[in-house]
Structures are given as structure tokens and as C-alpha cells.
């Protein structure tokens, strides 16, 4: 009987230590992810600031320049979902890009209550000609020392984490502000 109790106690101790190690590792991962996000914003903006862009604007231009969206654009709600931001957070970025002549927002032909966002000729030129070399140089610097295999693994794990975040988000009650 004492041996059984001793085995259960040892198993509990190992499980507690394993749980503590997992919590500590999770804390490190999420803190590093937080740091990476902050430095991505800071250094990414610096990479394209000569063109008057921020990383948020870079993301919007990139989303709108994909095949299929470059000519027909995207509804604002669809763009917000694609970028995984709230419409409220997206509206300021869109307003600045529209003010700078890089995109236009018009009523959707199918649903007049919805707005459709498309790149202007200036926005397409900026994206395709002016910033691509800067973005590619930035990627090379940020991924210095990463092999193609390293990049593949990193993408795999980020996609797994993104799916888990989506599950967490879906389980949350709708927020009226979004």
C-alpha cells in the first residue's frame, strides 16, 4: 500500500513539474511573440517609411493586391476579417490610404450599404514598383540565418497557433464594437 501511495505521489510531483515547465515555456513563447510583433511594427514601418507607409498600410495594400482582389477589391468587412482586425481599427488606416490617393472606397454594386475598397493606379504603382524591393530586403534581414526549412517550420507553427487563436475568438461572444 505504501509503495502505491509513493508511486502516486511521485507521478503527481512529475505532473506538477511538467505543468510548471509548460506554463513557463508558454510564458516565454507569448512574451517573445509580443516582442516580435512590436519590433515587426517598428522595423517594418522603418523599412517603408520613405514611401509614407506603416506596417498596417503595408498589410492593407498587400491584401488588396492579391490576384482576384486587385481588380475587384474587397468589401470593408471582408478585408477586416482577412486581416483579422476590427472594422474600427481598419477604418483609420483606410482613411489615410484614401486621403493619400492609394485606394478608393465606393459603395458595393451588390449591396449599397457596404463599401468596396480597391487600389488606385497610384496604389498599384506604389505596391508593385516602389515598395517591393524594400519589403524583400526587409524580409532578407529579418530572416537572416533562417534556412528554407526553418522558414517552413516557423510558418507551420504560426499557422497552428493562428488556428488556435481563431478557435478562441470563435468561442467568444460577439462584440458589438466589431
Amino acid at each position: 500500500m505504501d509503495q502505491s501511495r509513493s508511486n502516486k505521489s511521485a507521478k503527481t510531483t512529475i505532473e506538477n513539474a511538467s505543468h510548471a515547465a509548460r506554463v513557463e515555456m508558454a510564458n516565454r513563447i507569448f512574451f517573445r511573440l509580443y516582442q516580435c510583433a512590436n519590433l515587426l511594427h517598428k522595423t517594418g514601418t522603418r523599412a517603408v517609411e520613405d514611401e509614407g507607409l506603416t506596417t498596417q498600410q503595408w498589410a492593407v495594400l498587400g491584401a488588396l493586391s492579391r490576384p482576384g482582389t486587385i481588380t475587384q477589391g474587397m468589401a470593408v468587412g471582408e478585408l477586416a476579417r482577412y486581416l483579422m482586425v476590427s472594422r474600427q481599427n481598419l477604418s483609420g488606416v483606410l482613411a489615410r490610404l484614401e486621403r493619400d490617393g492609394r485606394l478608393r472606397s465606393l459603395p458595393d454594386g451588390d449591396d449599397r450599404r457596404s463599401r468596396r475598397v480597391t487600389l488606385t493606379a497610384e496604389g498599384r504603382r506604389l505596391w508593385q514598383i516602389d515598395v517591393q524591393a524594400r519589403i524583400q530586403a526587409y524580409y532578407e534581414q529579418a530572416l537572416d540565418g533562417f534556412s528554407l526549412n526553418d522558414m517552413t517550420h516557423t510558418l507551420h507553427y504560426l499557422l497552428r497557433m493562428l488556428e488556435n487563436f481563431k478557435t478562441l475568438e470563435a468561442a467568444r461572444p460577439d462584440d458589438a464594437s466589431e
Side-chain angles (χ1 to χ4, degrees):
M1 190 83 161
D2 287 335
Q3 182 65 32
S4 175
R5 191 175 304 146
S6 177
N7 286 345
K8 286 182 182 180
S9 177
K11 183 179 177 184
T12 301
T13 301
I14 291 170
E15 288 172 352
N16 288 343
S18 178
H19 177 73
R22 187 171 170 86
V23 168
E24 175 61 25
M25 187 58 72
N27 187 51
R28 287 179 180 197
I29 289 169
F30 282 92
F31 183 67
R32 295 299 181 215
L33 187 60
Y34 174 79
Q35 288 176 316
C36 284
N38 288 332
L39 284 175
L40 168 64
H41 174 66
K42 182 189 281 185
T43 60
T45 294
R46 208 175 294 136
V48 293
E49 70 186 347
D50 288 347
E51 302 301 334
L53 293 176
T54 65
T55 52
Q56 291 90 350
Q57 293 168 331
W58 166 356
V60 168
L61 292 175
L64 294 173
S65 68
R66 293 172 305 126
T69 61
I70 197 158
T71 55
Q72 60 188 343
M74 295 176 81
V76 173
E78 178 185 12
L79 181 59
R81 284 187 300 280
Y82 179 74
L83 295 173
M84 296 182 194
V85 298
S86 69
R87 290 172 67 110
Q88 183 179 0
N89 287 340
L90 184 59
S91 68
V93 176
L94 294 178
R96 286 187 296 281
L97 285 167
E98 191 166 17
R99 177 200 67 206
D100 294 342
R102 295 169 172 167
L103 61 81
R104 70 178 154 270
S105 172
L106 301 168
D108 190 308
D110 297 329
D111 180 359
R112 304 295 289 170
R113 297 168 298 163
S114 180
R115 307 221 29 103
R116 195 148 199 86
V117 182
T118 56
L119 292 176
T120 61
E122 163 63 18
R124 282 191 300 278
R125 184 195 59 74
L126 173 72
W127 181 254
Q128 293 169 345
I129 298 169
D130 296 341
V131 299
Q132 285 306 302
R134 291 174 190 268
I135 290 170
Q136 289 173 18
Y138 176 74
Y139 288 163
E140 286 301 316
Q141 290 176 326
L143 294 170
D144 185 44
F146 278 64
S147 68
L148 184 57
N149 197 36
D150 293 337
M151 291 167 48
T152 301
H153 285 286
T154 301
L155 180 59
H156 168 76
Y157 289 117
L158 288 172
L159 288 171
R160 281 184 64 183
M161 188 178 285
L162 183 60
E163 287 304 313
N164 290 343
F165 284 140
K166 287 178 182 178
T167 300
L168 288 170
E169 183 67 13
R172 187 186 75 139
D174 285 342
D175 183 350
S177 67
E178 303 238 316

